[in-house]
Amino acid sequence: QKEVEQNSGPLSVPEGAIASLNCTYSDRGSQSFFWYRQYSGKSPELIMSIYSNGDKEDGRFTAQLNKASQYVSLLIRDSQPSDSATYLCAVNLLSNFGNEKLTFGTGTRLTIIP
Amino acid sequence: DGGITQSPKYLFRKEGQNVTLSCEQNLNHDAMYWYRQDPGQGLRLIYYSQIVNDFQKGDIAEGYSVSREKKESFPLTVTSAQKNPTAFYLCATDRDRTGELFFGEGSRLTVL
């Protein structure tokens, strides 16, 4: 069973619409959750981090966390062509040694259609 | 400008050769990481270091080696023992070991 799961896509969204990206994780004790954006051929960059249940907003981006359902999502409002990228979900999972290990999902490829 | 510099950006290697990928940072971060990314896969951790002169294996350390002699530098050697080394290699740092990573531009290794 994968520890951090994302739908690989591709997810196509019209320009100006809301893009919704989802991620589930296996460790109920996880406390830290991150969304990274990766343009084709480039390295990832952190766009959102969330640590508490609920919503966290930053500009057009909103991260949503539901620890009871082990689910974290990223909403992108007013989608722009420049949002076309792969979005990686990352979660700090508890390792077998008792320490936290940042684990990445395989990413969701998002395409914004003009 | 503060940042992470990886070199070379592109590297071609013949089978059986060792290669070393450079990672230098001037962010003054203690933690440094090496990840590997293959098409359609997430990032997989090769090695990490939380302090100078100390490092730990990640999930896929076989065929790789690292050193951490200076805070600023964390080079990765891909040895001939690595069976499938063609990949995109990413170096990252973490200011407070929170998971908020800063990445270098990556090194793309191709084995001919």
Side-chain angles (χ1 to χ4, degrees):
Chain A
Q1 181 185 359
K2 288 186 181 177
E3 297 174 305
V4 179
E5 290 206 45
Q6 297 181 254
N7 188 325
S8 62
L11 176 65
S12 296
V13 172
E15 184 175 355
I18 296 175
S20 178
L21 304 162
N22 304 315
C23 174
T24 57
Y25 58 94
S26 59
D27 180 8
R28 188 172 290 275
S30 296
Q31 301 292 324
S32 311
F33 309 86
F34 309 91
W35 284 99
Y36 288 83
R37 178 177 62 199
Q38 186 175 24
Y39 292 115
S40 181
K42 304 295 186 183
S43 58
E45 58 177 327
L46 179 69
I47 54 171
M48 290 287 284
S49 56
I50 186 166
Y51 302 94
S52 304
N53 271 333
D55 294 359
K56 178 182 177 182
E57 190 175 313
D58 184 0
R60 295 186 297 111
F61 297 97
T62 299
Q64 298 177 318
L65 176 60
N66 184 327
K67 290 184 180 179
S69 300
Q70 295 173 233
Y71 176 97
V72 57
S73 64
L74 179 70
L75 302 179
I76 307 174
R77 289 184 302 280
D78 187 24
S79 297
Q80 303 296 312
S82 60
D83 295 325
S84 296
T86 295
Y87 290 81
L88 301 170
C89 173
V91 179
N92 261 330
L93 301 178
L94 204 59
S95 76
N96 292 336
F97 301 100
N99 59 339
E100 288 188 320
K101 186 186 80 168
L102 188 66
T103 301
F104 286 84
T106 55
T108 298
R109 188 156 58 94
L110 173 66
T111 300
I112 306 301
I113 304 168
Chain B
D1 274 14
I4 303 166
T5 301
Q6 286 188 244
S7 63
K9 283 192 171 55
Y10 299 94
L11 184 61
F12 297 89
R13 184 194 98 172
K14 291 182 181 179
E15 281 194 21
Q17 289 181 333
N18 293 354
V19 294
T20 297
L21 308 180
S22 170
C23 178
E24 302 280 331
Q25 58 112 347
N26 60 5
L27 299 169
N28 200 35
H29 291 172
D30 285 318
M32 297 187 73
Y33 306 83
W34 275 105
Y35 288 91
R36 168 181 173 144
Q37 188 175 36
D38 295 282
Q41 295 199 33
L43 276 61
R44 293 185 290 168
L45 182 64
I46 305 172
Y47 267 98
Y48 65 101
S49 169
Q50 296 181 336
I51 198 169
V52 174
N53 292 323
D54 188 44
F55 48 83
Q56 282 78 39
K57 293 181 178 180
D59 299 318
I60 56 165
E62 185 175 349
Y64 299 98
S65 66
V66 293
S67 63
R68 187 85 187 275
E69 297 176 3
K70 300 185 301 181
K71 186 174 185 177
E72 301 79 15
S73 179
F74 191 40
L76 174 73
T77 297
V78 185
T79 76
S80 56
Q82 170 48 235
K83 296 304 177 192
N84 187 19
T86 295
F88 188 40
Y89 290 88
L90 290 157
C91 179
T93 68
D94 185 339
R95 178 175 47 207
D96 299 316
R97 283 179 260 167
T98 57
E100 297 184 359
L101 300 182
F102 297 81
F103 285 90
E105 292 188 335
S107 293
R108 200 169 294 276
L109 172 63
T110 301
V111 173
L112 304 173

